[in-house]
């Protein structure tokens, strides 16, 4: 058995690594925002895209973000790796980030909604939203809303939402959206990842419809993805998951491997007009029936707008 494992190890690792983005597309003159890019797959996505163009790292912990940005600048030689403070658990911070960004930057071509929390004990955001739904879905929903006009002005542009295979285990519980009646932190994560898929689907539908009615307009696309099972600190809230992640790390993707589908969705030339899709390992992937429910997607959109106090037609 040890000999077999030794011989098979490279093949197992190659299988675990999954698809790789092969695009060499450059992003000169283009601006990318990546949320939560101070660690994990977000940091590796920033590292790759910094070799292509200007990257803005949007993070709550600016000290960690500055350390990551400094490392990426030194490695890539790109000094246009900029840190801006963004706390997705606070709508005031999201609005302040968007206001500063729009005042300081005239271009935006790619928005990667990457940041996320997982398996949190029950807690609430500054605005009273359940933490996983609030950060993973509502925070990015509001951020996208505030930046969408700039993306349209700079089109062709792309919105990339990092979801998860976990969306298969989720459903949108409109009767208890904030988990106040019944809360399971694993299921809450699944619900939030399903919300990412539904948001992407409805956003793409709305954008596509508007562009079809306005002849001559270029497109803003929106796609979602599953990065794979990645060895990162995302499971830090669960002692059991942290322990299992360490034991089975050989069978998990590295952050660099996990970032490949995010990079692919952001730059691949063949996806220029592809929208409303879900990817894994740099190729289209199966979406759960709940993730393809247009009525739920429309209702979630309406409820999200109501919770955030915005009008997004």
């Amino acid at each position: 058995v040890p000999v077999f494992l030794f011989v098979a190890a490279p093949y197992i690792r190659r299988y675990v690594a999954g698809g790789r983005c092969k695009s060499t597309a450059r992003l000169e003159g283009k601006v990318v925002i990546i949320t939560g890019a101070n660690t994990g797959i977000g940091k590796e996505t920033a590292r790759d895209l910094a070799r292509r163009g200007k990257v803005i790292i949007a993070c709550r912990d600016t000290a960690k973000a500055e350390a990551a940005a400094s490392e990426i600048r030194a490695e890539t030689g790109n000094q246009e790796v900029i840190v801006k403070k963004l706390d997705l658990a606070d709508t005031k911070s999201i609005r302040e980030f968007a206001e500063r960004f729009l005042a300081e930057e005239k271009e935006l071509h790619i928005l990667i909604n990457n940041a996320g929390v997982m398996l949190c004990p029950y807690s609430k955001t500054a605005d009273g939203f359940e933490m996983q739904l609030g950060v993973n879905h509502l925070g990015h929903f509001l951020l996208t809303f505030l930046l969408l006009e700039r993306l349209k002005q700079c089109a062709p542009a792309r919105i990339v939402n990092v979801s998860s295979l976990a969306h298969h285990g989720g459903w949108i519980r409109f009767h208890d959206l904030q988990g106040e009646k019944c809360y399971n932190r694993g299921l809450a994560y699944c619900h939030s990842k399903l919300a990412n898929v539904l948001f992407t689907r409805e956003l793409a539908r709305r954008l596509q419809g508007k562009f079809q009615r306005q002849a001559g307009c270029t497109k803003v696309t929106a796609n979602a993805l599953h990065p794979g099972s990645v060895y990162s600190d995302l499971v830090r809230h669960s002692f059991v998951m942290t322990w299992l992640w360490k034991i089975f790390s050989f069978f998990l993707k590295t952050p660099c491997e996990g970032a490949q589908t995010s990079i692919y969705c952001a730059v691949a030339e063949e996806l220029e007009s592809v929208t409303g899709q879900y990817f894994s390992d740099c190729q289209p992937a199966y979406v759960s029936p709940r993730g393809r429910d247009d009525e739920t997607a429309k209702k979630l959109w309406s409820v999200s707008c109501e919770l955030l106090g915005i009008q997004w037609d």
Side-chain angles (χ1 to χ4, degrees):
V1 174
V3 174
F4 169 76
L5 288 175
F6 178 78
V7 173
Y11 300 98
I12 295 172
R13 275 303 312 156
R14 197 174 305 156
Y15 174 78
V16 169
R20 193 163 194 87
C21 179
K22 298 176 181 177
S23 173
T24 58
R26 302 293 301 168
L27 299 174
E28 279 96 351
K30 295 191 175 182
V31 177
V32 182
I33 290 176
I34 310 173
T35 66
N38 62 332
T39 187
I41 66 171
K43 181 180 176 182
E44 295 306 320
T45 303
R47 192 191 307 274
D48 180 282
L49 298 185
R51 296 189 177 99
R52 306 170 189 255
K54 183 173 182 175
V55 174
I56 293 173
I57 293 175
C59 292
R60 177 179 57 83
D61 190 329
T62 53
K64 285 185 179 178
E66 286 290 358
S70 179
E71 178 188 320
I72 293 169
R73 286 187 212 110
E75 183 178 322
T76 63
N78 180 3
Q79 298 307 303
E80 288 193 307
V81 179
I82 299 165
V83 171
K84 292 184 185 292
K85 184 175 178 59
L86 170 66
D87 184 355
L88 287 161
D90 185 347
T91 59
K92 182 181 177 183
S93 173
I94 298 169
R95 290 181 180 279
E96 288 174 350
F97 168 85
E99 188 177 337
R100 287 197 309 272
F101 173 83
L102 294 172
E104 296 168 3
E105 304 285 343
K106 302 307 176 189
E107 304 282 326
L108 177 59
H109 303 87
I110 302 169
L111 171 61
I112 303 179
N113 290 319
N114 163 84
V117 291
M118 180 180 183
L119 303 176
C120 301
Y122 190 78
S123 57
K124 292 187 175 183
T125 68
D127 302 274
F129 307 135
E130 184 274 312
M131 187 62 71
Q132 295 187 80
L133 182 77
V135 170
N136 298 349
H137 168 59
L138 292 170
H140 283 127
F141 188 97
L142 178 59
L143 179 66
T144 305
F145 166 74
L146 295 171
L147 298 178
L148 188 58
E149 285 306 313
R150 183 59 50 86
L151 285 162
K152 287 180 180 179
Q153 292 165 10
C154 300
R158 304 186 190 192
I159 299 164
V160 179
N161 294 324
V162 179
S163 181
S164 170
L165 184 69
H167 86 270
H168 286 270
W171 67 93
I172 306 301
R173 303 165 67 246
F174 290 109
H175 65 284
D176 188 23
L177 204 58
Q178 307 300 338
E180 292 173 322
K181 297 176 183 176
C182 178
Y183 182 76
N184 176 290
R185 57 186 180 173
L187 286 177
Y189 178 72
C190 295
H191 303 336
S192 72
K193 294 290 103 179
L194 174 59
N196 292 155
V197 172
L198 291 169
F199 168 46
T200 303
R201 187 177 184 88
E202 180 64 9
L203 177 60
R205 185 189 71 80
R206 287 168 176 256
L207 288 172
Q208 205 169 27
K210 286 182 180 179
F211 285 127
Q212 285 172 349
R213 290 195 298 271
Q214 298 173 13
C217 285
T218 49
K219 290 185 177 179
V220 178
T221 62
N223 290 298
L225 66 99
H226 167 54
S229 298
V230 181
Y231 187 66
S232 71
D233 64 354
L234 188 61
V235 296
R236 62 188 179 276
H237 292 291
S238 169
F239 172 78
V240 173
M241 288 295 290
T242 301
W243 182 69
L244 289 172
W245 247 227
K246 287 181 180 178
I247 292 175
F248 295 105
S249 60
F250 182 77
F251 300 98
L252 299 172
K253 290 185 178 185
T254 65
C256 181
E257 291 163 352
Q260 294 306 306
T261 307
S262 294
I263 298 164
Y264 174 74
C265 289
V267 304
E269 298 89 340
E270 63 267 30
L271 298 187
E272 187 173 352
S273 59
V274 174
T275 191
Q277 301 301 305
Y278 173 75
F279 294 86
S280 179
D281 284 326
C282 301
Q283 60 186 1
Y286 179 74
V287 179
S288 75
R290 291 190 186 103
R292 288 180 270 123
D293 188 328
D294 288 333
E295 290 309 309
T296 301
K298 291 173 186 175
K299 186 174 179 181
L300 178 63
W301 183 284
S302 176
V303 170
S304 299
C305 287
E306 187 178 332
L307 287 169
L308 292 164
I310 60 176
Q311 283 190 316
W312 191 354
D313 298 322

